[in-house]
Amino acid sequence: MKQKKWMNYAFCLLGIIIVCFSILLVRENHRIALQKEYGSDPFVTLSGTLKLKIFPGPPEYFSIENGDKADACWVLELDKESFILALSTPVQELELDFKDIIKRPNASEIFLFPDYNVDESFRGKNGQHISISGYLFHAHTAHHRTPMLLTVPEHIYTHQK
């Protein structure tokens, strides 16, 4: 009788291990598929304070007061650990030098570059501490508001801390 009881426990434990392994395998396959879709930009999870910021937009991208359209953008003000992670993560595209990033006044902010309309996802989270995953790259155009950017795929879950 004791042996049968232990066998039941062993099979239950084996079942739990198989389910956990299957979940990890599915997540890894999903990560690989996303990597193929988004190229060689590294996939990272960063944390910080979500902020809706207004920047000057078209036509000159210089001054709202002088006639440029106001351009509302979501920015993540990185916490210390995430800032270090973002700085130390190698990116494939046009890279900014470490010194170029640090000397910028908004060095610890990262522009969230979504693949979808994020207003629904971020509504009510302005000013809150969140974690978000995406593909890290460095600024290489005038439209990039911060030295580092994060492409956020639509199916990536953002959550509060």
Side-chain angles (χ1 to χ4, degrees):
M1 192 64 151
K2 272 188 171 182
Q3 186 177 10
K4 188 175 182 180
K5 189 175 182 180
W6 281 107
M7 289 294 287
N8 286 340
Y9 287 134
F11 281 123
C12 286
L13 182 60
L14 181 61
I16 291 170
I17 290 170
I18 290 171
V19 168
C20 290
F21 181 73
S22 298
I23 291 170
L24 290 174
L25 186 61
V26 167
R27 290 185 70 176
E28 181 62 16
N29 286 339
H30 181 67
R31 187 193 65 74
I32 290 168
L34 287 174
Q35 187 71 22
K36 287 179 183 175
E37 181 180 345
Y38 288 94
S40 56
D41 291 335
F43 187 80
V44 295
T45 299
L46 302 171
S47 298
T49 304
L50 182 66
K51 294 183 176 183
L52 184 61
K53 295 186 87 172
I54 307 297
F55 295 97
E60 299 297 322
Y61 296 89
F62 185 70
S63 170
I64 296 169
E65 294 80 22
N66 290 336
D68 289 339
K69 181 181 174 187
D71 191 12
C73 302
W74 289 102
V75 172
L76 187 66
E77 186 177 320
L78 299 173
D79 56 28
K80 185 178 179 179
E81 296 82 16
S82 290
F83 182 53
I84 292 168
L85 173 64
L87 283 176
S88 61
T89 300
V91 296
Q92 300 296 320
E93 291 292 320
L94 301 170
E95 292 188 31
L96 294 174
D97 185 278
F98 177 79
K99 293 176 188 173
D100 292 333
I101 294 172
I102 295 295
K103 71 181 179 185
R104 299 270 298 265
N106 59 346
S108 66
E109 292 179 345
I110 192 161
F111 181 77
L112 300 178
F113 194 77
D115 279 354
Y116 65 105
N117 184 350
V118 295
D119 290 335
E120 187 71 29
S121 297
F122 292 163
R123 184 174 294 140
K125 295 182 182 177
N126 191 24
Q128 293 183 10
H129 194 270
I130 67 164
S131 292
I132 190 163
S133 300
Y135 297 90
L136 183 69
F137 67 103
H138 287 178
H140 53 271
T141 75
H143 301 286
H144 296 158
R145 311 297 188 175
T146 59
M148 296 179 287
L149 297 90
L150 192 70
T151 301
V152 183
E154 182 172 4
H155 49 279
I156 297 297
Y157 176 69
T158 61
H159 59 279
Q160 290 178 240
K161 274 217 162 183

